[in-house]
């Protein structure tokens, strides 16, 4: 370090504090401004478009006998209509699904039930994820400090800047609980489509066999719970893009074939129907991304899924 | 513990600063020294306490050796001390690499198990080697144990440097500004710290997405285009600079808060006009260490040009290997050895001087190319990126498809370039504004802006955390 900024040679313990005060003032005022602006952003732009509260309300009040459970593949890909309710929500794992199944059918018998049967339910990021609460979260004094929002704050600001002053959610929550979404996978360049597929598959590779076995046990418990209560049960592997399918069949280490065998076997043993719909939607324009249908895709495939599941 | 983390910023740092000042004021210098050393050990062992034992053991052994060497200078004893330190470093850092090489040569598998690399071992090992050699050469005194413990463990420089010499730090402990609240020191320290934090959290962490995407895509079999390869590599080039120099700024700032001067480690390296100049501006304390303890003992430039170039290559290869156990690091060192050799030969024999802009661009390009090996997981990846950079791939050269937020990647790479080339560095800024002038609007604006920069960085850290410093892995 040059001697010009060598440490002070003043012997006085305290010198004029002006610079430090200005520095501290700049720090504190900016921090307060950021906190206030972010809280305002969350309250005025994020919360009005947040689907979690509406979803929990639907879960609490719905008494539909026909229901679908799963993660975002189901939430976005199953455009529930009529007597069906979609109780799936993004990022949920088997424990979350099972908790919801028990909650929803605690006081009435199940009718037609769709349970997700996608291989990535056994991926590490899912099987090791902590279980979620299905009770409405207690709102903290500052919403921005909630676990749900805090990791997203930078993304909210980024979306706000990109939206030139508005934060536009791409998700539309239907009365029957589906979280339909815009987006067109076909818009992406080919190389990006392939990259997205391979990246996603890395995340979707199955976890350690012990963890997978434990998760499969819980999945079986859920299926048993439903069949014992007389559910007309259908397990679905939801549609994914051709890029994703190609990547998953090329990467045997990801273990998806094993997972599909497990679902098929489980369905056979429990009397449920298993539909492997992964390759049933071909056009990329019906997907929002590499492994989620968009709103058009979800609507297009709905009748076919119901027919395959429940037409005997 | 990370500097850019909430436990450090709002727990460890204020408690340590306050505790040190109070200890000094109420119990004196020795108490402040002991408190600060104890706090530094807490800092070191935050994530994995067992390695505190290793650190303390190396301190004990080196201190005892230093006392013996000082009492009776002995080349062999010094050699044994250096070898012990290097042996420890070799075990933790290179055992797996060596076992792999031996396995390849012999055709038998030689396993050494999983060895967890102790944080900062490369830095505190070099620091202690320098100490032993300095004692042997009578450039330093062993001093007191408590001072030696402090010298090695002082948390701002413990994990990623700068590499400090005993003779630089210990005399400062006797000066009146150590461990006392002196507004000027604290202010300058806070300025440097905030700038460093901003560089790390707001720039380096964001530049990371461009660099990581390139290497991740290639590892998944996506052949990058020329534009993608350059954008990703420029992102990495600026990421590693702002990451490491941001850390160095924070370390210098923290030192100043305690009234201690740590050596400058970066001096705007991307403004270099040749590679010799680059190595006088990049990781300066490592360069000085390699010069003083390897290059000069090998004969430096005193034994003719051939020996000089051979010595340069040895130093750069070892410098590469110091960064990590992998052939890519050795190639990175070899490339810089080659660059330096060419540079010295050009200076010696060429009557021409290149235009400054061309020199700067050429130097920067050479550095970027060398970073490809430094960042790559293996040689095939490095060659794939390099071949894309020269346009040898089969894809459209200018497609930028692999970056999900390409506009942001470009924005951050451009911001990095502008700051690296067109603005003064943190030390220059603090030097220029060191004397607070209340009437000067520029001073008011600079101090306020740096405070705001610190706040934005803290807010981002609160929201999404920060990545470990790149040099923590070394």
């Amino acid at each position: 370090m040059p001697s010009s900024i060598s440490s002070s040679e003043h012997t006085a313990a305290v010198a004029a504090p002006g610079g430090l005060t200005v520095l501290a003032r700049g720090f504190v005022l900016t921090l307060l401004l950021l906190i206030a602006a972010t809280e305002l952003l969350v309250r005025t732009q994020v919360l009005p478009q947040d689907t979690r509260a509406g979803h929990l309300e639907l879960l609490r009040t719905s008494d539909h006998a026909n229901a679908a459970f799963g993660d975002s593949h189901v939430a976005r890909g199953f455009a529930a209509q009529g007597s069906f309710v979609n109780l799936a929500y993004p990022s949920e794992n088997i424990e979350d699904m099972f908790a919801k199944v028990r909650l929803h059918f605690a006081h009435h018998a199940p009718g037609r039930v769709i349970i997700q049967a996608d291989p990535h339910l056994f991926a590490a990021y899912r099987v090791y994820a902590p279980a979620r609460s299905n009770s409405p979260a207690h709102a903290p004094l500052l919403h921005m400090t909630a676990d749900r929002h805090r990791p997203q704050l930078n993304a909210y600001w980024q979306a706000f800047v990109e939206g030139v002053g508005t934060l536009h959610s791409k998700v539309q929550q239907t009365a029957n609980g589906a979280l339909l979404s815009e987006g067109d996978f076909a818009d992406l360049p080919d190389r990006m489509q392939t990259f997205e597929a391979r990246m996603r598959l890395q995340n979707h590779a199955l976890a350690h066999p012990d963890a997978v076995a434990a998760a499969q046990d819980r999945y079986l418990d859920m299926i048993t719970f439903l069949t014992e209560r007389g559910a007309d049960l259908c397990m679905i592997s939801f549609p994914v893009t051709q890029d994703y399918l190609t990547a998953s069949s090329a990467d045997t280490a990801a273990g998806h074939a094993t997972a599909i065998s497990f679902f098929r076997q489980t369905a056979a043993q429990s009397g449920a129907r298993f539909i492997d719909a992964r390759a049933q939607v071909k056009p990329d324009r019906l997907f929002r991304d590499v492994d989620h249908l968009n709103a058009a895709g979800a609507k297009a495939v709905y009748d076919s899924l119901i027919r395959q599941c429940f037409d005997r | 513990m990370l500097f850019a983390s909430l436990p450090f910023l709002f727990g460890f740092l204020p408690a340590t600063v306050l505790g040190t000042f109070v200890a000094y004021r109420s119990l004196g210098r020795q108490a402040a020294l002991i408190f600060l050393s104890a706090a530094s050990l807490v800092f070191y062992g935050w994530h994995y306490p067992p390695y505190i034992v290793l650190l303390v053991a190396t301190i004990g052994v080196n201190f005892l050796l230093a006392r013996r060497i000082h009492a009776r200078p002995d080349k062999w004893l010094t050699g044994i001390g250096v070898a012990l330190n290097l042996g420890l470093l070799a075990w933790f850092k290179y055992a797996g690499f060596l076992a792999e090489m031996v396995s390849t040569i012999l055709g038998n598998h030689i396993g050494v198990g999983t060895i967890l690399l102790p944080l900062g071992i490369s830095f505190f090992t070099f620091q202690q080697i320098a100490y032993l050699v300095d004692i042997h050469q009578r450039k330093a005194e062993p001093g007191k144990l408590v001072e030696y413990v402090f010298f090695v463990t002082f948390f701002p420089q413990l994990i990623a440097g700068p590499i400090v010499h005993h003779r630089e730090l210990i005399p400062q402990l006797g000066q009146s500004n150590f461990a006392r609240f002196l507004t000027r020191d604290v202010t300058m320290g806070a300025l440097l710290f905030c700038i460093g934090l901003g560089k790390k959290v707001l720039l380096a962490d964001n530049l990371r997405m461009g660099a990581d995407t390139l290497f991740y895509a290639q590892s998944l079999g996506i052949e990058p285009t020329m534009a993608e390869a350059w954008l990703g590599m420029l992102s990495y080039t600026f990421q590693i600079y702002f990451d490491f120099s941001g850390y160095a700024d924070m370390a210098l700032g923290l030192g100043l808060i305690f009234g201690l001067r740590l050596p400058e480690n970066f001096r705007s390296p991307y403004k270099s006009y040749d590679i010799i100049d680059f190595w006088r501006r990049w990781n300066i304390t490592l360069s000085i260490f390699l010069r003083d303890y390897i290059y000069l003992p090998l004969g430096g430039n005193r034994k003719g040009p051939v020996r000089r170039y051979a010595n340069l290559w040895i130093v750069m290869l070892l410098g590469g290997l110091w960064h990590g156990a992998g052939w890519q690091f050795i190639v990175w060192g070899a490339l810089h050895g080659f660059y330096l050799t060419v540079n010295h030969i050009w200076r010696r024999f060429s009557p021409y001087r290149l235009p400054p802009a061309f020199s700067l661009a050429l130097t920067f390009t050479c550095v970027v190319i060398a970073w490809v090996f430094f960042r790559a997981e293996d040689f095939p990846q490095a060659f794939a990126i390099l071949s894309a950079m020269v346009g040898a791939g089969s894809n459209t050269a200018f497609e930028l498809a692999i970056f999900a937020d390409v506009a942001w990647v470009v924005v951050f790479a451009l911001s990095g370039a502008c700051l690296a080339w067109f603005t003064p560095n943190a030390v220059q800024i603090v030097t220029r504004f060191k004397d607070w002038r209340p009437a000067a609007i520029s001073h008011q604006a600079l101090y306020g802006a740096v405070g705001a920069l610190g706040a934005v960085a803290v807010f981002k850290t609160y929201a999404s955390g920060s990545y470990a410093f790149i040099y923590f892995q070394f």
Side-chain angles (χ1 to χ4, degrees), chain A residues 254-277:
Chain A
H256 284 201
T258 318
I260 292 294
S261 298
F262 164 79
F263 290 127
R264 201 180 295 281
Q265 197 180 341
T266 301
Q269 286 169 356
S270 62
R273 190 165 283 195
F274 172 65
I275 309 296
D276 185 356

Side-chain angles (χ1 to χ4, degrees), chain A residues 1-2 4-8 12-13 15 18-20 23 27 30 38 145 150 154 158 162 191-192 195 198-199 202, chain B residues 177 181-183 185 216-217 220 223 228 252 261 264 399 401 408 431 434 436 447 451-452 455 459 462-464:
Chain A
M1 184 186 297
S4 48
I5 64 156
S6 63
S7 61
S8 173
L20 193 57
L23 182 75
F27 180 87
T30 306
T38 305
T145 61
R150 183 175 161 183
N154 292 329
Q158 187 178 329
E162 287 170 353
R191 289 168 59 252
M192 185 59 170
F195 181 33
R198 291 177 188 177
M199 261 197 301
Q202 293 265 309
Chain B
N177 27 17
F181 185 90
L182 298 175
T183 310
D185 286 354
Y216 189 34
L220 292 179
E223 187 189 343
E228 288 164 351
L252 262 62
R261 280 180 294 127
E264 193 180 2
E399 187 178 66
W408 290 102
T431 303
K434 69 182 188 297
W436 169 245
Y447 279 61
F459 185 82
Y462 168 78
S464 56

